[in-house]
């Protein structure tokens, strides 16, 4: 499979947050706008979906078992059996024009997730860090859409982007969870390349970046040099993660939101889940230590 393959044809409005759960040999991913979580067992092709009362915008495993995630207002525990969530901390419950978006755990078991302006034009988004002791820390502000936290193999660099501003930023990440040295890592021009969306780092320390509106994934060296471009058959590529028993398969989410009937006819697989074997492996997703 070194071609991009559609592994679940479905018109997700906003497919996002792919998470490989090794114990289950299953890929979980969310459709934020339809309040759904989807699960695929690639070996058997078995599919399952849950609908929640509110969107799960990102999902991670908990070291103690089970899942935690983010809803529009903040961090929650997620229970699939009852299809319910329970709050951990809801820092933006008072901000109706914002919602949480992407999120990821770093090598120390801390959960990083940020917020965005729902109408995508005010810089009201904040990046938060939830520590294993459940204390919450505001780490950066001024984002229109926070997206794609990802961490270098040595854990010393964090990548995080503002999709509307077009920047992927790099930060120096300290052991104690503080960040410094924020700098532009790469900048996309929307009309040419789309917007930077979800990201993951492979075992060779290169960054895989989803291009929303840009119909592709790119692989970037730590220097920022583009090493590979992988075209997708749909415009809105939202996120990617490594999965499969060997962690050799990129699972790629996409979105059908905001497309006209003519565009949907031209790109009928919009919203579907795709897979691609790039010839390099990923690393297991870190689990929340709280
Ligand atoms: C957000 C969407 C947004 C898209 C654009 C996604 O991560 O969830 O709301 O339209 O990024 O970059
Ligand atoms: Ca995203």
């Amino acid at each position: 499979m070194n071609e991009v393959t559609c592994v679940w044809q479905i018109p997700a409005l906003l497919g996002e947050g792919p998470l490989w759960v090794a114990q289950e040999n299953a890929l979980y991913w969310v459709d934020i706008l339809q309040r759904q979580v989807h699960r695929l067992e690639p070996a058997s092709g078995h599919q399952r979906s849950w609908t929640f009362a509110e969107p799960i915008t990102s999902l991670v495993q908990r070291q103690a078992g089970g899942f935690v995630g983010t809803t529009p207002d903040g961090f929650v525990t997620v229970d699939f059996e009852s299809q319910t969530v329970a709050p951990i901390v809801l820092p933006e419950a008072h901000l109706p024009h914002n919602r949480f978006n992407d999120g990821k755990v770093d090598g120390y078991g801390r959960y990083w997730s940020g917020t965005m302006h729902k109408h995508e034009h005010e810089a009201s988004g904040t990046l938060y860090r939830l520590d294993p002791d459940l204390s919450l820390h505001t780490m950066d502000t001024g984002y229109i859409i926070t997206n794609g936290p990802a961490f270098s193999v040595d854990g010393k660099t964090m990548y995080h982007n503002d999709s509307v501003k077009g920047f992927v930023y790099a930060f120096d990440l300290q052991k104690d969870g503080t960040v410094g040295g924020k700098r532009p890592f790469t900048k996309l021009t929307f009309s040419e390349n789309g917007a930077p969306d979800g990201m993951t780092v492979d075992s060779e320390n290169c960054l895989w970046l989803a291009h929303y509106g840009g119909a592709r994934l790119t692989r970037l060296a730590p220097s920022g040099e583009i090493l590979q471009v992988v075209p997708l058959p749909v415009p809105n590529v939202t996120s990617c993660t490594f999965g499969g028993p060997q962690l050799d398969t990129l699972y790629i989410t996409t979105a059908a939101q905001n497309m006209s009937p003519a565009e949907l006819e031209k790109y009928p697989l919009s919203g579907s889940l795709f897979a691609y074997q790039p010839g390099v492996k990923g690393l297991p997703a870190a689990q929340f230590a709280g």
Side-chain angles (χ1 to χ4, degrees):
M1 197 208 320
N2 47 22
E3 272 180 21
V4 173
T5 310
C6 178
V7 291
W8 188 340
Q9 185 171 350
I10 179 174
L13 285 179
L14 186 50
E16 275 282 359
L19 171 71
W20 179 255
V21 176
Q23 302 86 331
E24 303 178 19
N25 274 313
L27 193 274
Y28 285 70
W29 54 292
V30 304
D31 180 346
I32 297 176
L33 295 180
Q34 301 198 100
R35 297 181 280 108
Q36 287 187 309
V37 179
H38 300 298
R39 177 183 181 276
L40 174 71
E41 278 173 35
S44 64
H46 184 256
Q47 301 170 343
R48 182 158 179 199
S49 302
W50 296 262
T51 303
F52 286 80
E54 53 187 323
I56 311 288
T57 74
S58 71
L59 183 71
V60 305
Q61 283 186 274
R62 203 172 193 172
Q63 281 177 20
F67 295 86
V68 291
T70 49
T71 59
D73 293 344
F75 295 88
V76 297
T77 57
V78 180
D79 181 46
F80 284 98
E81 222 164 286
S82 61
Q83 275 172 240
T84 57
V85 302
I88 298 173
V89 54
L90 305 179
E92 298 209 349
H94 63 297
L95 296 179
H97 300 297
N98 269 14
R99 69 160 170 82
F100 268 79
N101 193 38
D102 212 348
K104 216 75 80 54
V105 175
D106 71 15
Y108 295 90
R110 301 174 289 228
Y111 192 173
W112 296 75
S113 185
T115 58
M116 59 175 274
H117 187 248
K118 282 184 193 163
H119 305 293
E120 306 188 358
H121 58 77
E122 271 174 43
S124 56
T126 294
L127 174 65
Y128 297 95
R129 191 189 84 215
L130 181 70
D131 283 355
D133 65 2
L134 305 187
S135 62
L136 183 73
H137 306 265
T138 295
M139 302 308 298
D140 200 12
T141 58
Y143 291 81
I144 304 176
I145 300 185
T146 59
N147 242 320
F151 305 94
S152 64
V153 172
D154 67 6
K156 292 182 178 163
T157 303
M158 178 175 72
Y159 301 100
H160 185 242
N161 64 46
D162 188 319
S163 300
V164 175
K165 294 182 183 175
F167 283 106
V168 178
Y169 302 104
F171 299 77
D172 301 320
L173 174 58
Q174 311 299 331
K175 270 191 182 163
D176 67 2
T178 54
V179 287
K182 181 179 181 180
R183 56 203 177 265
F185 173 72
T186 195
K187 164 104 175 42
L188 305 188
T189 305
F190 187 80
S191 56
E192 289 164 28
N193 304 303
D197 206 326
M199 309 185 274
T200 193
V201 170
D202 66 32
S203 58
E204 294 175 1
N205 207 29
C206 294
L207 183 72
W208 289 88
L209 171 66
H211 291 236
Y212 187 97
R216 76 195 88 154
L217 290 180
T218 48
R219 181 177 190 238
L220 298 131
S223 63
E225 186 197 346
I226 296 174
L227 301 175
Q228 196 182 338
V229 179
V230 179
L232 271 285
V234 298
N236 300 329
V237 186
T238 53
S239 194
C240 59
T241 198
F242 281 91
Q246 309 302 323
L247 289 177
D248 59 356
T249 304
L250 272 170
Y251 286 97
I252 306 153
T253 53
T254 68
Q257 69 168 352
N258 302 330
M259 293 175 73
S260 68
E263 285 171 318
L264 289 170
E265 201 172 315
K266 191 166 173 198
Y267 305 107
L269 295 178
S270 290
S272 296
L273 179 71
F274 295 86
Y276 172 67
Q277 288 187 324
V280 59
K281 293 185 182 189
L283 298 164
Q287 303 185 356
F288 181 56

